[in-house]
Amino acid sequence: MMDMIRFNTRKFRRPAIAAATALLCCTAMTPAYAQAAADEQATDADGNEIVVTGSLGALPVEGVGSVFGFDKTVTETPRSVSTISSEQMERFGITDIYDLVAQSPGTFTNSFFGVGGALDIRGTPGEVYFRGVRRLDNPGNYPTPIAAAERIDIVRGPASPIYGPSKTGGYMNFVPKSARVQGGSYMSSPEGKISFTGGSWDKADIAAEVRGPGKIGTQEFGYSLYAEVENSGSYYENMSTKQTILQGAFDTDITPNLRLEFGGMYQNYKGQQNGGWNRLTQDLVDNGNYITGAAQSLDTNGDGQMSVEEINAAVPGGLSIFGGFACGGSPFAASVTDACFTSSPNNKLNLTNVGTAKLSRKKTLTGKDDRLDNKATTLYADLIWTGPGDIEIKNQMFYDSYENINENSYGFSQFHDSYVFEDKIVVSKTFDTDAGKFAFQLSPSIRYTNFKHAEDFNYEYFHRVDLTVGYTPASNRLLSTECNCNYDTYVKGHYTDLGFAGLVDLDFKFGLDVTLGARYDTIKGVSNFQEAYMEAPKDISGAKDTDGAWSWSASANYKLPFGLIPYATAARQSVVIAGQGAEIDPFNLAGGTWITASKLYEAGIKGSWLDDHLYAAVSVYKQKRTDYSSQSMTVNQAVETKGLEAEFRWAVDDHLLLTGGYTRTKVWNLTAIEEGSTFSFFGIEDLVNVTNPALYLGGQPIGLIPINDKGDARRAGIPTNLYSLTATYAFDNGVAFAGSMVSVDSVYSGASQVVQLPSYTKFDASISYETGPWVFRGVVKNLTNEKYFRANFTELFGSTIVLPELPRSFQGTVSYKF
């Protein structure tokens, strides 16, 4: 078996499929041998050990401090929250954030050009935290490395005041593999694991981890190290993934009362964004029928690309024709007619050699020269002092940065060079009395964000490239990042947040638990345009502002008989309107609209039964941004959300684990409702009064979509109803099976609600075999080869492009523990 999966490290993409095939064949032919089911251990309120066998760490018996800052279990926490352990991720073959929807309600995610950076939670872009501290925004800068996580906590709704300003929808707390260092200094010897994963489309990934005790002189410490290297192909043409992930963590007792924990993670990612299919029609979605045809070349100097100057020479103002003004109409799509594109210069938007063809899902907007490169560095250091009487003082230092460049041949490019540094002190004190257990926290903090961000979007033409042919000089644009010129926006600046928070948890012995928190932030921001690199100057050169914001939360739950715990939460959380590169728009600073807030009302009931082997929860909520006049279309929309979330987790016995979830979500864009319209790129199905789309597919009509009622303002791409179910069974002889199912409603692809993406049900399955230190696993994703789609950036591009999702694929993993 090992001979079959050896690979040349210089060319280790080549044998990946062979390795996966060998693993799958091996596991399929293996007789049923024993696999010990994973145990989950914690202690109850009386200090007694809880052991739940066969749970894969899925049950809420351990404390999760990432919600309120108090070490409560999920059952005890009066919020909608789920955790996914590394054991679950390994057993079910979870490799990206889109797979998490089967494990947690409320987490269906639209495509952000094919890059799984952050979850959409409760129908709106969420955030990523690292060990409980907020990272820089990452909607689609790089994929969050799920396989490098020891645990993922998904908190639905805005964060607790202790964590500072945050978005409306919620966040994913990434607990790194290296977090296993805790307790490592008490180990007698090191232990670790090395694994290789291969699969469809030349997938090849190798990972290794080790943890154990160490000693420098007389100073003992625990360490945990993790490394992962991937060099994989892709189902889609002109796409691949190369990345390196390094983690390290160290833990040492400086004195009997003073402990130091420090470490970090480095990720070097090289890939591409994927805009999916262009020239979108309902017929393309339903039947694969694609409109072919070539754009007219505007490359007058013969360098193989269209420059901004060449575009404007051909059509002054560019190829983005606004509404029907060119033919005496209005800004709305209904006023656009053939006459808008039949005379010069707008006839240069006409295609030639027009026809139709069946379009492969492999052929998408990604070009041979496209790239998405991102280097992310995250560092932390926690100094923890424990004093008499259960007092604790923790100083947390945190640093996160990225250097990002993103280039797309159809006409979009950007870069970020940003970092954040946060220092937070948390003073904790707990009182045990005859009435109950009362915990208090006070936390001053400072957070400094420095950003440099530029982007190029005014000459973004999805439709010029015929996907059956690929990019030509007529469709390949000279990008701002290639010439360091003609940026639409280029800003540099910084903002500093001085915050002070207080939390109290009053856990009375008669069953009532009340959690209260408040925070005040004073934030100073500066942002300046770098006009020397921009195509045109702005009305202002820059701006600065100082503002303050209150946040608060109030929660309560009550332990009823029969294990039931009803709860309710009301909260207001402030949020800074920052963009994809952590930047603040100077116009928002000048207008005083760069800080806003959200409100949350949530109620639910949870319970844990059968000696903590069965957990279930259901919640209803309403949350909304309080200021509809300020939003970032990419990462922070002004929305209102209403919904219901339910889940159960049941370790039936030592062998069988079942989980299930249901999500009902409705999201409305408040800005669109207030203004009565919303800006969008127009797609083929929008322009109903143009008889032939070949008249304008060489450019990009844009304009306003009318919003006549609340139904018109529904956020597209997010299903109203979503169902999930997972099951895994481990035999007493080493073999384990796992499967998951996700059923998703039909959705509209864009804000104009003209193209409907079909409903679908997707199945994944895996088989594992463990013998001694070896584990072999085969995974099949999209088992039934379901054809389905994911809406892409629905606010702007939903009726113009859509991402066809992956067909059936295979992956195989072999791991060795030592």
Side-chain angles (χ1 to χ4, degrees):
M1 177 67 185
M2 292 306 298
D3 290 337
M4 296 175 67
I5 61 171
R6 287 177 183 160
F7 60 94
N8 185 332
T9 56
R10 296 175 60 188
K11 299 180 179 180
F12 77 95
R13 278 173 51 182
R14 292 185 177 180
I17 293 179
T21 304
L23 288 170
L24 288 169
C25 292
C26 180
T27 51
M29 294 184 297
T30 302
Y33 296 117
Q35 173 178 357
D39 293 348
E40 187 166 15
Q41 299 184 19
T43 57
D44 62 19
D46 298 321
N48 299 315
E49 186 177 69
I50 301 169
V51 179
V52 182
T53 303
S55 67
L56 295 179
L59 294 173
V61 300
E62 295 186 15
V64 180
S66 62
V67 183
F68 284 112
F70 298 108
D71 198 26
K72 293 178 172 294
T73 69
V74 170
T75 309
E76 298 165 335
T77 300
R79 284 286 297 276
S80 185
V81 57
S82 301
T83 64
I84 300 96
S85 68
S86 60
E87 290 83 3
Q88 286 175 275
M89 290 186 275
E90 290 170 3
R91 178 73 63 84
F92 287 93
I94 295 173
T95 54
D96 58 47
I97 66 170
Y98 302 114
D99 293 334
L100 296 177
V101 66
Q103 305 289 337
S104 172
T107 57
F108 186 84
T109 299
N110 281 333
S111 171
F112 197 98
F113 292 90
V115 180
L119 291 169
D120 279 1
I121 302 176
R122 291 182 170 174
T124 187
E127 297 179 294
V128 179
Y129 283 52
F130 188 91
R131 297 177 72 253
V133 183
R134 181 163 50 92
R135 302 189 72 182
L136 293 171
D137 277 297
N138 178 25
N141 297 325
Y142 60 95
T144 295
I146 293 297
E150 174 66 13
R151 189 184 80 231
I152 297 291
D153 306 324
I154 297 174
V155 181
R156 297 177 279 275
S160 165
I162 197 73
Y163 297 120
S166 66
K167 292 181 187 176
T168 307
Y171 60 94
M172 175 178 68
N173 181 45
F174 180 97
V175 180
K177 286 274 192 186
S178 55
R180 289 179 174 176
V181 67
Q182 294 181 358
S185 58
Y186 305 109
M187 298 171 60
S188 60
S189 60
E191 62 180 35
K193 181 173 73 172
I194 185 168
S195 63
F196 171 73
T197 299
S200 299
W201 314 307
D202 290 339
K203 182 175 180 63
D205 183 295
I206 188 167
E209 58 185 288
V210 62
R211 65 177 185 136
K215 193 173 185 179
I216 299 177
T218 60
Q219 185 67 44
E220 295 183 348
F221 62 91
Y223 67 87
S224 179
L225 305 173
Y226 175 84
E228 180 180 353
V229 178
E230 181 178 5
N231 190 352
S232 298
S234 173
Y235 168 76
Y236 304 105
E237 292 182 357
N238 301 318
M239 293 194 70
S240 62
T241 296
K242 294 182 180 180
Q243 67 174 333
T244 300
I245 301 165
L246 303 174
Q247 287 182 15
F250 302 88
D251 186 340
T252 186
D253 292 321
I254 299 174
T255 72
N257 301 99
L258 186 63
R259 186 171 81 255
L260 174 64
E261 299 176 4
F262 66 97
M265 181 170 74
Y266 170 78
Q267 181 181 6
N268 186 348
Y269 170 81
K270 296 182 184 297
Q272 302 80 26
Q273 285 194 342
N274 187 353
W277 280 351
N278 63 357
R279 305 183 183 182
L280 178 63
T281 63
Q282 191 66 55
D283 189 33
L284 177 62
V285 170
D286 294 342
N287 304 304
N289 294 323
Y290 182 73
I291 300 171
T292 62
Q296 301 175 48
S297 179
L298 307 179
D299 176 27
T300 56
N301 65 7
D303 67 353
Q305 292 181 296
M306 301 181 299
S307 68
V308 168
E309 291 76 16
E310 288 171 328
I311 293 170
N312 280 302
V315 182
L319 307 176
S320 295
I321 308 304
F322 192 84
F325 289 127
C327 47
S330 71
F332 299 104
S335 73
V336 182
T337 65
D338 290 9
C340 297
F341 310 107
T342 53
S343 60
S344 182
N346 288 348
N347 61 1
K348 291 186 173 61
L349 277 66
N350 300 170
L351 296 182
T352 62
N353 300 320
V354 179
T356 59
K358 292 289 184 180
L359 186 62
S360 167
R361 283 187 280 175
K362 293 183 177 182
K363 295 184 177 294
T364 58
L365 279 164
T366 305
K368 292 181 179 179
D369 297 323
D370 287 6
R371 63 168 175 158
L372 176 63
D373 297 349
N374 193 93
K375 294 180 181 179
T377 302
T378 307
L379 304 171
Y380 68 90
D382 296 351
L383 196 60
I384 305 159
W385 179 79
T386 304
D390 290 327
I391 189 171
E392 179 184 272
I393 301 176
K394 177 189 294 186
N395 186 87
Q396 295 177 278
M397 289 189 292
F398 177 79
Y399 171 87
D400 190 39
S401 70
Y402 46 49
E403 300 173 35
N404 177 281
I405 185 167
N406 179 15
E407 295 180 339
N408 301 273
S409 297
Y410 57 76
F412 177 79
S413 65
Q414 67 179 7
F415 74 81
H416 327 301
D417 187 358
S418 304
Y419 69 88
V420 62
F421 175 80
E422 180 172 342
D423 188 82
K424 178 169 65 175
I425 298 173
V426 182
V427 181
S428 305
K429 171 68 176 174
T430 301
F431 298 91
D432 279 309
T433 72
D434 292 339
K437 184 177 182 179
F438 307 132
F440 299 84
Q441 292 185 359
L442 293 176
S443 178
S445 65
I446 182 170
R447 183 178 173 97
Y448 173 80
T449 305
N450 186 286
F451 60 84
K452 181 167 69 171
H453 164 82
E455 58 187 353
D456 153 30
F457 54 79
N458 272 343
Y459 301 87
E460 192 170 10
Y461 307 126
F462 296 119
H463 299 315
R464 286 185 68 84
V465 57
D466 181 340
L467 295 182
T468 65
V469 176
Y471 285 95
T472 68
S475 53
N476 188 349
R477 230 207 74 205
L478 176 66
L479 302 169
S480 291
T481 51
E482 294 175 316
C483 67
N484 199 29
C485 65
N486 291 325
Y487 289 101
D488 298 298
T489 184
Y490 189 138
V491 293
K492 292 176 66 176
H494 54 86
Y495 45 105
T496 302
D497 179 356
L498 295 174
F500 189 84
L503 287 180
V504 58
D505 181 63
L506 309 175
D507 189 358
F508 296 96
K509 288 188 175 180
F510 63 86
L512 177 66
D513 190 345
V514 178
T515 305
L516 304 171
R519 180 186 182 93
Y520 187 76
D521 292 277
T522 300
I523 310 174
K524 180 178 180 180
V526 177
S527 184
N528 294 302
F529 289 114
Q530 308 299 297
E531 294 183 346
Y533 303 97
M534 295 167 57
E535 181 188 11
K538 302 292 186 179
D539 293 337
I540 60 174
S541 61
K544 60 182 178 180
D545 189 29
T546 301
D547 203 353
W550 280 100
S551 303
W552 57 265
S553 68
S555 304
N557 60 22
Y558 191 85
K559 295 181 177 65
L560 293 175
F562 309 109
L564 295 171
I565 306 177
Y567 74 89
T569 288
R572 181 188 191 275
Q573 177 61 276
S574 58
V575 59
V576 175
I577 305 298
Q580 190 177 350
E583 80 282 1
I584 297 179
D585 190 318
F587 286 103
N588 284 346
L589 278 170
T593 58
W594 58 294
I595 300 176
T596 182
S598 60
K599 288 185 177 180
L600 165 71
Y601 302 97
E602 179 178 313
I605 188 167
K606 300 182 179 185
S608 183
W609 303 274
L610 305 178
D611 294 328
D612 290 314
H613 284 65
L614 172 63
Y615 165 80
V618 62
S619 64
V620 293
Y621 67 90
K622 175 182 178 180
Q623 57 190 52
K624 65 185 295 184
R625 277 271 307 278
T626 57
D627 184 358
Y628 59 80
S629 65
S630 179
Q631 68 175 339
S632 166
M633 290 293 283
T634 54
V635 296
N636 201 331
Q637 297 93 10
V639 297
E640 177 184 348
T641 309
K642 293 181 180 179
L644 181 149
E645 295 153 350
E647 70 173 321
F648 78 89
R649 300 185 177 196
W650 185 16
V652 180
D653 55 24
D654 292 354
H655 309 284
L656 178 62
L657 173 68
L658 302 173
T659 76
Y662 169 69
T663 302
R664 181 173 179 82
T665 310
K666 290 187 176 182
V667 191
W668 299 270
N669 189 298
L670 299 177
T671 304
I673 294 172
E674 182 65 24
E675 296 182 354
S677 64
T678 186
F679 173 78
S680 178
F681 281 38
F682 288 152
I684 294 172
E685 302 287 7
D686 291 314
L687 300 176
V688 294
N689 292 318
V690 181
T691 60
N692 182 5
L695 292 173
Y696 57 78
L697 289 178
Q700 180 56 69
I702 59 177
L704 301 181
I705 298 171
I707 305 297
N708 298 312
D709 54 38
K710 197 171 183 179
D712 291 341
R714 279 283 299 273
R715 187 174 189 231
I718 302 298
T720 300
N721 297 289
L722 186 150
Y723 306 85
S724 64
L725 183 67
T726 79
T728 178
Y729 191 92
F731 291 91
D732 288 332
N733 52 11
V735 172
F737 293 93
S740 65
M741 178 276 290
V742 175
S743 180
V744 180
D745 275 359
S746 174
V747 297
Y748 288 113
S749 69
S752 58
Q753 302 180 6
V754 293
V755 175
Q756 196 163 28
L757 307 181
S759 61
Y760 65 89
T761 300
K762 177 175 173 284
F763 295 90
D764 295 342
S766 77
I767 179 173
S768 306
Y769 171 61
E770 182 172 355
T771 176
W774 294 94
V775 178
F776 304 93
R777 178 170 293 112
V779 179
V780 184
K781 293 192 175 184
N782 195 2
L783 181 66
T784 59
N785 205 27
E786 184 86 345
K787 181 180 179 181
Y788 68 106
F789 300 85
R790 196 177 299 271
N792 191 95
F793 204 156
T794 59
E795 288 74 20
L796 292 179
F797 310 132
S799 61
T800 58
I801 55 177
V802 70
L803 182 64
E805 282 290 347
L806 297 173
R808 183 190 296 117
S809 64
F810 305 88
Q811 68 185 43
T813 301
V814 57
S815 300
Y816 178 77
K817 298 178 182 179
F818 57 88

